[in-house]
Amino acid sequence: MEAREEDVIVGVTKFVEKQAIGTAAQTHGSHHDYRDAPPAPLFLPSELSSWSFYRAGIAEFMATFLFVYISVLTVMGVNRSPSKCASVGIQGIAWAFGGMIFVLVYCTAGISGGHINPAVSFGLLLARKLTLTRAVWYIVMQCLGAICGAGVVKGFEKSVLYESLGGGANVVNSGYTKGDGLGAEILGTFLLVYTVFSATDEKRKARDSHVPVLAPLPIGFAVFLVHLATIPITGTGINPARSLGAAIIYNRKHAWNDHWIFWVGPFIGAGLAAAYHQIVIRAIPFKSKSII
């Protein structure tokens, strides 16, 4: 399939979500020349004939693969140590997840928007910053990447050791209820997706164009902070693809018993964050079309 310049425009820069998360989205100017981008359609037929559409999905696959590989391998290293003090501990796990998101969002932002998380793609879809076809394509590729990443971790750790260490699968930990776990996943994902919207807001960047903003930094830092808070509760999911990949490769009953929490919670949290940003922060439903 021959790449054309118009393909790149349709696939990468036509809607703001693919400019949103990385440095490619940094625009110059002031709030005086800012206008909200038009909502993305649910279906854009030209995407399906554009190489950039498929390239973006491949980028999401590779980014999620690397994310799960590094982060879950870090979890394995902590779990196999005789004590938390003999390893990087919870703080190290949190840094692995947050640091990888920072690096991978930075690397893939100009290609796919650097979502690396079905909840982020879902939130942007609700905000009409992403077409339905692209959102589904991203989520499928993110899940496949996570499965492959968890599979490579199991290959390194060997089956017996991998299973004895829990496989990095997300479960509600002892002492907490399923309601606790669901609430932690909702609030954690809300913080993450709210940060994504805030860090990539085109109006804010136009208004504060004199202040350089590297959007992947606050997004990665949000992931780090959420992990610090919720690792003791659920191991921290806030990313359905990461949870699915670990659960499929680990494949033990107790992991599947809680697995619904790591889809329902993040999707609710993402939906609430999208609504909060669009309705409260930006007040988009209350603006007339003539308002800049």
Side-chain angles (χ1 to χ4, degrees), residues 72 75-76 79 97 162 165-171 235-236 242-243 246-247 250:
V72 173
V75 172
M76 294 288 97
N79 288 346
F97 279 89
Y162 177 85
L165 297 176
N170 290 120
V171 297
T236 309
R242 171 264 189 269
S243 299
Y250 181 54

Side-chain angles (χ1 to χ4, degrees), residues 146-215:
I147 294 168
C148 292
V152 172
V153 172
K154 183 176 181 179
F156 282 162
E157 296 292 338
K158 310 307 178 189
S159 294
V160 174
L161 181 60
Y162 177 85
E163 292 170 8
S164 68
L165 297 176
N170 290 120
V171 297
V172 178
N173 292 320
S174 177
Y176 296 96
T177 67
K178 293 185 186 297
D180 296 333
L182 181 62
E185 289 297 303
I186 291 173
L187 291 174
T189 312
F190 178 90
L191 174 59
L192 168 60
V193 179
Y194 176 40
T195 303
V196 169
F197 275 105
S198 298
T200 62
D201 191 306
E202 293 294 328
K203 181 176 181 179
R204 178 177 180 176
K205 288 185 292 186
R207 181 192 64 200
D208 300 331
S209 58
H210 60 288
V211 180
V213 177
L214 186 63

